[in-house]
Amino acid sequence: MTLIRSLSVGYGDMFYIRHNSDSFTIIDCHMNEWDREDIVAEIKGQNIGKTITRFISTHPDEDHIKGLKYLDEQIGLLNIYTVGNAAIKNDPSESFQHYCTLRDSSRAYYVTAGCKRKWINESDVERGGAGISFIWPDVSNAHYKGALSEAAKGNAFNNISLVARYYIGEKAASFMWIGDLETEFMEAIEDSISLTKTTVVFAPHHGRESGKIPHSWLEKLDPQIIVIGQAPSRHLNYYTGYTTITQNKAFHITFDCEDDKVHIYSSNPEYSTRFNEFENLSQSKFAGQKYIGSITVETNYTL
């Protein structure tokens, strides 16, 4: 069983994957002083028995790295996966300073589209790959180079976001993270990124209209679920015509992946969304979480 958790952390993003192996992956970080102990306690509990704990940073904006130093001190991150960059900030926070320390250390691996690395997406005799692939950035792309230049000047960071996809095998679910890529940038790179059908897509820019996934992308991704983040409601795009979960209302969201099924839970006991399937055996599986239904995975294609 693989479990993917989208944490409700205010106007920021934080996820983890408890792999069906000895791997554990954290994607982005947004913790405040008043919630960081609870979040880390949950991660430590879910991380029991895991040998590898990696951190994927989609990009170094504060709402994706806040509390990173505390997380590293408490968890001990083995590796950080990020884009190669020279981003600076005029008034760097403690979190950004720690990000730069990790980024420039031997623990960092700079991802590129299609990159291969042992145990994250390649197997050996010791262990299998974790099923995570990177489909962006294309470091030769002119638009991406421009975004890197802006980050190096301290001007903007959204469009240096990596795009990661988690896929765990034939007939199983797939998940995609797009960081904070902006709509115009996604439109500009459409011909340079390889997109394929994906079960659950986490909307970029916390679901804001400014990060709306272009229709041309959605046609290729054909998602069964789009998760809309915790931006203020007035700024959100609700992806009419698609099945969505809005984190503003669902709070913490858990995806329990089992064979070709995904069982879905919300930490809000009042959340009422129901999916096409409802299985009695799943209703009381996770204490404090409300089972809101299941889906059967539609045909997936590997990259």
Side-chain angles (χ1 to χ4, degrees):
M1 180 192 74
T2 296
L3 185 145
I4 293 91
R5 182 94 149 138
S6 177
L7 295 170
S8 177
V9 290
Y11 299 156
D13 280 341
M14 189 168 187
F15 312 85
Y16 65 76
I17 304 171
R18 190 184 71 194
H19 299 266
N20 189 24
S21 65
D22 68 343
S23 282
F24 192 89
T25 301
I26 302 168
I27 302 174
D28 285 339
C29 179
H30 186 266
M31 301 188 300
N32 299 291
E33 289 187 4
W34 58 84
D35 65 3
R36 65 185 189 180
E37 291 184 4
D38 290 340
I39 292 173
V40 166
E42 175 178 336
I43 289 174
K44 284 183 175 180
Q46 294 291 334
N47 198 19
I48 293 173
K50 304 300 184 183
T51 303
I52 296 175
T53 301
R54 65 178 64 86
F55 179 71
I56 297 175
S57 174
T58 61
H59 67 296
D61 253 337
E62 190 69 13
D63 53 354
H64 291 254
I65 58 170
K66 188 174 184 180
L68 180 57
K69 182 179 180 182
Y70 180 81
L71 179 70
D72 189 22
E73 290 172 345
Q74 296 296 312
I75 302 294
L77 303 173
L78 183 64
N79 299 114
I80 175 173
Y81 291 81
T82 185
V83 299
N85 68 89
I88 61 169
K89 294 186 179 181
N90 292 330
D91 186 20
S93 67
E94 177 183 75
S95 298
F96 183 73
Q97 291 175 347
H98 194 70
Y99 167 83
C100 292
T101 297
L102 291 173
R103 178 195 67 189
D104 300 335
S105 75
S106 60
R107 285 192 276 171
Y109 179 82
Y110 302 145
V111 306
T112 58
C115 64
K116 300 293 183 181
R117 182 168 165 84
K118 190 166 61 177
W119 304 338
I120 192 166
N121 52 30
E122 283 197 327
S123 304
D124 66 4
V125 295
E126 186 175 349
R127 60 169 54 85
I132 298 172
S133 60
F134 298 98
I135 63 173
W136 188 259
D138 174 355
V139 294
S140 67
N141 181 273
H143 300 285
Y144 180 68
K145 289 180 178 180
L148 283 178
S149 177
E150 289 300 304
K153 297 173 185 175
N155 293 334
F157 309 92
N158 288 340
N159 289 328
I160 67 168
S161 295
L162 60 81
V163 179
R165 187 174 185 266
Y166 175 53
Y167 175 71
I168 47 182
E170 186 179 0
K171 297 184 179 180
S174 52
F175 295 78
M176 183 174 287
W177 291 265
I178 311 177
D180 273 356
L181 291 184
E182 297 169 0
T183 303
E184 289 186 3
F185 187 86
M186 286 186 277
E187 291 171 339
I189 67 169
E190 178 186 348
D191 293 336
S192 300
I193 186 169
S194 177
L195 301 170
T196 191
K197 183 172 176 59
T198 300
T199 313
V200 179
V201 174
F202 297 98
H205 221 195
H206 320 292
R208 287 184 176 91
E209 177 68 25
S210 57
K212 179 185 177 183
I213 305 171
H215 180 67
S216 56
W217 278 45
L218 290 172
E219 284 187 323
K220 296 174 183 177
L221 294 172
D222 190 23
Q224 289 181 248
I225 299 173
I226 299 175
V227 178
I228 299 170
Q230 282 189 267
S233 295
R234 65 185 181 277
H235 298 316
L236 294 178
N237 182 286
Y238 288 95
Y239 292 95
T240 302
Y242 289 89
T243 300
T244 60
I245 304 176
T246 305
Q247 197 132 31
N248 280 343
K249 296 181 180 179
F251 307 154
H252 300 313
I253 307 165
T254 300
F255 299 92
D256 180 21
C257 302
E258 186 176 19
D259 299 324
D260 66 342
K261 302 287 186 181
V262 181
H263 310 296
I264 307 161
Y265 302 80
S266 163
S267 66
N268 179 3
E270 305 301 322
Y271 194 66
S272 59
T273 295
R274 291 291 183 268
F275 291 87
N276 295 333
E277 304 172 37
F278 205 76
E279 300 187 5
N280 291 332
L281 292 176
S282 296
Q283 292 194 47
S284 58
K285 188 169 185 179
F286 299 108
Q289 299 185 51
K290 181 179 180 180
Y291 172 58
I292 60 173
S294 302
I295 61 171
T296 298
V297 177
E298 296 172 355
T299 303
N300 266 283
Y301 302 94
T302 56
L303 292 176

